[in-house]
């Protein structure tokens, strides 16, 4: 493993990229971080992800893996001797996959609608978003993390979106902590872990990024 | 061995995926037909988040979402493996399974569309399938190589289901002239005993799809 060449093609603000950074940190894998320009896509990005032309892409010894949750599963399997990210029991694994998929289906799309839509559409997105967080709170229950005593696959799927909550709240004019205090407490608990705090970006910087995007899309 | 139950909906390709996987693994199961216009207490109990089929219940433990169920089946009954062993090859298989989620969205648009929207949906479906054929399937007989695997299972709707919808709409997308290798793949898939013996009869499928599309058109 010492001769492994690992590169991550990423965009600093991407919650999907943060998932991969967090998984690599949990496994203690050394890698080269390569910031990508998604307006003028590099030849490397187009070569490594010809189908979707998106980040994140993990390049391991020259071979690309695309799609954040697929990358996280790959990382778990390729570096299997340390810090398992998925449970070993097939039923628990299925539950982890179900909830990570739920995060993919709900949190990103609804969050995006909050900062891109207005009026009724924005209100509907806010409600859907809060309802989804409440379902996740229910699934978390009394556990410190979705993975139990340690961070796991669902935590990795979800917690990067915390860096976008401030942007959602400010553009959507609502308070997530008031509606979902347990979720916020959970996110802050995760941030106490060094692997998480060093993999996640500053929410204020993310908000500035969203403001820039809104201006660009003519939404401000 | 705890008992296995599958809550399904007979015309749905998502349910068919699970049937094929269970059959390929030689797993005995009880099939329970759900009336989606009148969902059972059991379905609502076992899939409170989405309230959809298919749901697999093993012992008393439910699993929802067909792709999650497929991975569970693969891990619980490892005989006759349906995913590669090598982590990189597994990641590539999962990539193409995930690509299929976009394909399903395009198939839905094709199914729901009429007039100009149908033309647009057909065009987008074709473009998406070209990428699948070129970069996913390539020159292989099946996505799994010489035999079908989870990737083939996940694309099952491109065979019998798409053919029925194309006939109902009078628009063809998957043809030897436009997608030669994928068209051949679909024919090979539909000929496999596990698929052939575990899909609805084509006339029943046609009747259902035609009625469903007429209902959609009325709304």
């Amino acid at each position: 493993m010492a001769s492994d060449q690992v590169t991550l093609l990423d965009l600093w603000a991407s919650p999907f990229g943060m998932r991969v950074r967090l998984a690599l940190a949990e496994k203690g894998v050394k890698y080269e971080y390569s910031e990508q320009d998604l307006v003028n896509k590099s030849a490397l990005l187009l070569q490594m992800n010809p189908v979707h032309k998106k980040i994140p892409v993990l390049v391991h010894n020259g071979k690309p893996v695309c799609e954040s949750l697929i990358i996280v599963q790959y990382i778990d399997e390729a570096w299997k001797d340390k810090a398992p990210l998925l449970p070993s029991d097939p039923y628990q694994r299925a539950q982890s996959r179900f909830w990570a998929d739920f995060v993919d289906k709900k949190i990103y799309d609804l969050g995006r609608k909050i900062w891109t839509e207005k009026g009724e559409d924005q209100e509907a997105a806010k409600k859907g978003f809060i309802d989804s967080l409440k379902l996740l709170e229910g699934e978390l229950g009394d556990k410190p993390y979705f993975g139990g005593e340690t961070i796991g696959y669902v935590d990795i799927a979800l917690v990067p979106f915390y860096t976008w909550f401030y942007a959602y709240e400010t553009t959507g004019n609502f308070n997530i902590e008031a509606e979902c205090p347990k979720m916020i407490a959970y996110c802050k608990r995760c941030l106490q872990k060094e692997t998480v705090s060093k993999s996640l970006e500053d929410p204020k910087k993310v908000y500035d990024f969203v403001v820039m995007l809104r201006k660009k899309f003519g939404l401000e | 061995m705890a008992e296995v139950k599958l809550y399904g909906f007979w015309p749905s390709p998502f349910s068919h995926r699970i049937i094929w996987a269970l059959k390929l693994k030689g797993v005995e199961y009880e099939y329970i037909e759900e009336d989606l216009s009148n969902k059972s207490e059991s379905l609502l109990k076992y899939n409170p988040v989405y309230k959809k089929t298919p749901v697999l219940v093993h012992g008393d433990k439910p699993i929802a979402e067909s792709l999650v169920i497929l991975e569970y089946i693969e891990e619980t009954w490892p005989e006759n493996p349906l995913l590669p062993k090598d982590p990189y090859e597994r990641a590539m298989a999962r990539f193409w399974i995930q690509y299929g989620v976009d394909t399903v969205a395009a198939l839905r648009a094709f199914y729901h569309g009429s007039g100009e929207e149908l033309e647009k949906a057909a065009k987008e479906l074709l473009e998406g399938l070209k990428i699948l054929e070129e970069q996913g399937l390539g020159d292989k007989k099946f996505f799994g190589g010489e035999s079908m695997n989870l990737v083939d299972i996940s694309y099952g709707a491109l065979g019998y289901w798409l053919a029925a919808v194309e006939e109902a709409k009078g628009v063809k997308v998957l043809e030897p002239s436009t997608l030669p290798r994928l068209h051949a793949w679909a024919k090979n898939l539909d000929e496999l005993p596990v698929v052939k013996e575990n899909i609805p009869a084509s006339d029943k499928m046609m009747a259902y799809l035609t009625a469903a599309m007429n209902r959609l058109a009325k709304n």
Side-chain angles (χ1 to χ4, degrees), chain B residues 14-33:
Chain B
F14 300 110
S15 293
H16 305 153
R17 284 171 170 176
I18 309 307
I19 293 170
W20 302 340
L22 290 169
K23 295 273 182 194
L24 283 170
K25 297 287 190 175
V27 177
E28 296 283 319
Y29 66 99
E30 182 194 342
Y31 178 82
I32 296 143
E33 183 65 37

Side-chain angles (χ1 to χ4, degrees), chain A:
Chain A
M1 285 294 161
S3 59
D4 269 336
Q5 179 63 262
V6 183
T7 304
L8 174 61
L9 308 185
D10 200 351
L11 179 82
W12 69 272
S14 163
F16 303 106
M18 288 180 226
R19 287 172 167 177
V20 180
R21 287 175 240 165
L22 180 49
L24 290 167
E26 285 287 311
K27 295 285 190 178
V29 174
K30 290 202 178 352
Y31 66 97
E32 180 205 337
Y33 179 92
S34 174
E35 183 71 20
Q36 295 297 304
D37 178 351
L38 295 186
V39 176
N40 295 305
K41 293 179 180 179
S42 69
L44 179 65
L45 177 60
L46 297 177
Q47 182 198 359
M48 292 292 146
N49 192 354
V51 173
H52 298 301
K53 308 173 176 57
K54 285 182 180 178
I55 55 89
V57 182
L58 188 77
V59 187
H60 187 197
N61 296 329
K63 297 199 288 192
V65 184
C66 306
E67 295 298 293
S68 64
L69 290 182
I70 293 174
I71 298 171
V72 172
Q73 288 182 80
Y74 173 77
I75 288 169
D76 202 30
E77 293 175 8
W79 287 276
K80 61 184 191 295
D81 296 327
K82 185 184 170 183
L85 304 177
L86 276 150
S88 50
D89 170 67
Y91 184 71
Q92 296 304 324
R93 290 165 76 86
Q95 292 310 301
S96 295
R97 289 194 169 109
F98 176 88
W99 287 105
D101 176 66
F102 178 84
V103 173
D104 262 1
K105 282 181 165 60
K106 299 286 184 184
I107 304 301
Y108 174 70
D109 282 338
L110 291 167
R112 188 166 205 280
K113 285 191 171 133
I114 294 173
W115 68 266
T116 55
E117 301 285 355
K118 292 196 300 258
E120 262 179 46
D121 291 336
Q122 192 191 49
E123 289 306 309
K126 281 157 65 179
K127 181 173 188 303
F129 182 81
I130 293 295
D131 288 346
S132 301
L133 287 186
K134 285 188 169 147
L135 266 174
L136 285 163
E137 282 181 326
E139 175 57 22
L140 180 65
D142 295 323
K143 302 192 296 292
Y145 309 104
F146 285 90
E149 294 302 313
T150 54
I151 286 198
Y153 187 64
V154 180
D155 305 283
I156 290 172
L158 174 62
V159 81
F161 286 98
Y162 174 74
T163 62
W164 282 66
F165 282 7
Y166 178 71
Y168 299 152
E169 287 173 313
T170 310
T171 53
N173 190 29
F174 71 126
N175 185 312
I176 296 173
E177 188 162 14
E179 308 260 11
C180 305
K182 236 181 125 186
M183 175 56 58
I184 299 304
Y186 155 77
C187 293
K188 289 181 175 168
R189 185 182 314 128
C190 289
L191 275 164
Q192 282 168 10
K193 281 206 75 187
E194 198 193 333
T195 50
V196 179
S197 61
K198 79 173 184 182
S199 303
L200 266 46
E201 296 289 340
D202 176 357
K204 296 277 163 69
K205 283 195 186 149
V206 169
Y207 172 67
D208 290 341
F209 177 73
V210 171
V211 167
M212 183 272 293
L213 286 178
R214 278 169 57 87
K215 285 200 175 96
K216 193 172 152 190
F217 299 154
L219 298 167
E220 287 268 318

Side-chain angles (χ1 to χ4, degrees), chain B residues 202-214:
Chain B
S202 59
D203 54 349
K204 209 175 160 199
M205 204 61 215
M206 277 301 297
Y208 170 81
L209 286 171
T210 311
M213 283 189 262
N214 286 339

Side-chain angles (χ1 to χ4, degrees), chain B residues 126-141:
Chain B
L126 177 64
E127 281 167 15
L129 292 179
K130 280 203 164 116
I131 293 172
L132 179 66
E133 180 187 68
E134 186 88 13
Q135 302 189 41
L137 182 64
D139 293 320
K140 299 195 295 291
K141 184 176 183 192

Side-chain angles (χ1 to χ4, degrees), chain B residues 82-128:
Chain B
L82 298 174
L83 275 179
K85 286 217 167 357
D86 170 69
Y88 186 75
E89 296 304 317
R90 284 164 84 83
M92 288 313 296
R94 286 181 176 133
F95 176 87
W96 288 110
I97 291 172
Q98 188 61 30
Y99 183 83
V101 174
D102 294 345
T103 306
V104 163
L107 285 170
R108 274 219 174 90
F110 182 66
Y111 172 75
H112 285 277
S114 56
E116 247 183 60
E117 274 172 23
L118 177 62
E119 251 188 71
K120 180 167 177 269
K123 185 165 176 285
E124 282 177 14
L125 180 58
L126 177 64
E127 281 167 15

Side-chain angles (χ1 to χ4, degrees), chain B residues 6 18 25 36 70 147 162 164 172 177 182 184 208 212 219:
Chain B
L6 173 61
I18 309 307
K25 297 287 190 175
L36 294 183
L70 288 178
S147 57
L162 180 58
K172 278 198 178 314
S177 54
L182 201 62
Y208 170 81
N219 292 337

